[in-house]
Amino acid sequence: MAASLTRRYEHRKEIGVERDSLILYAKIEALFFQVYPTFKSYPKSETHGLCRRIKDMFISLLEAVGQAKEVASKRKLYLQQAAGYIQNIVSMFRLSRHQRYISRGFFEQLDIKITEIKKILVGFMRSVSRTRQTP
């Protein structure tokens, strides 16, 4: 009986992890697709600098979330890396706003979406950190 309850709990936990990672991945990808066209408004000198760095951060973020879904033993590590990539992305967009490559309104939209992604990521990290409590 205890073994079947443990298996059922583990199955539910895996379903939750898969759902959380898919939602997180989809939101990040949607944000990346929204941001990508704005790189055309950046000066040519920043195309290989700031734009490339932002693209690389998004790709690394998506990779970290994908790895967190697939590699259970290192899930917490990959989620922590994802949190770091998000912070770097925020810094890059702040710099873009400061240099007036993006508008204030667009920056505010990004900020709202990034905050939503951060909340999902934190919830995902908490669910991974929780250990099973025995009843």
Side-chain angles (χ1 to χ4, degrees), residues 7-133:
R7 272 184 269 141
R8 212 176 305 155
Y9 172 78
E10 291 300 321
H11 180 69
R12 284 185 187 164
K13 186 175 177 183
E14 282 305 312
I15 289 172
V17 164
E18 189 144 332
R19 184 197 69 232
D20 291 346
S21 65
L22 289 174
I23 291 169
L24 183 60
Y25 193 94
K27 295 239 181 223
I28 294 166
E29 192 176 56
L31 181 62
F32 184 45
F33 291 150
Q34 179 186 2
V35 167
Y36 196 85
T38 64
F39 293 145
K40 292 177 184 170
S41 67
Y42 283 63
K44 294 287 181 194
S45 61
E46 291 295 350
T47 302
H48 297 291
L50 188 58
C51 293
R52 182 80 230 156
R53 186 87 170 121
I54 294 170
K55 289 176 196 176
D56 289 344
M57 285 292 151
F58 266 106
I59 291 167
S60 295
L61 175 58
L62 288 168
E63 286 174 353
V65 171
Q67 288 173 325
K69 176 183 176 269
E70 297 299 326
V71 185
S73 63
K74 295 186 178 181
R75 189 166 285 148
K76 188 175 180 181
L77 172 70
Y78 290 131
L79 292 175
Q80 289 170 339
Q81 287 177 347
Y85 291 132
I86 289 173
Q87 283 306 117
N88 288 338
I89 289 169
V90 169
S91 297
M92 297 294 160
F93 283 127
R94 281 191 186 132
L95 177 61
S96 296
R97 174 63 195 126
H98 183 71
Q99 296 295 323
R100 298 176 193 236
Y101 301 150
I102 58 176
S103 69
R104 178 181 297 212
F106 187 72
F107 178 76
E108 288 171 358
Q109 287 177 2
L110 291 177
D111 190 44
I112 290 168
K113 289 183 180 186
I114 290 172
T115 300
E116 182 180 357
I117 289 169
K118 283 181 184 178
K119 287 178 182 179
I120 294 169
L121 180 62
V122 167
F124 191 11
M125 290 172 77
R126 284 185 182 151
S127 73
V128 167
S129 296
R130 277 190 230 131
T131 57
R132 183 173 183 265
Q133 302 292 325

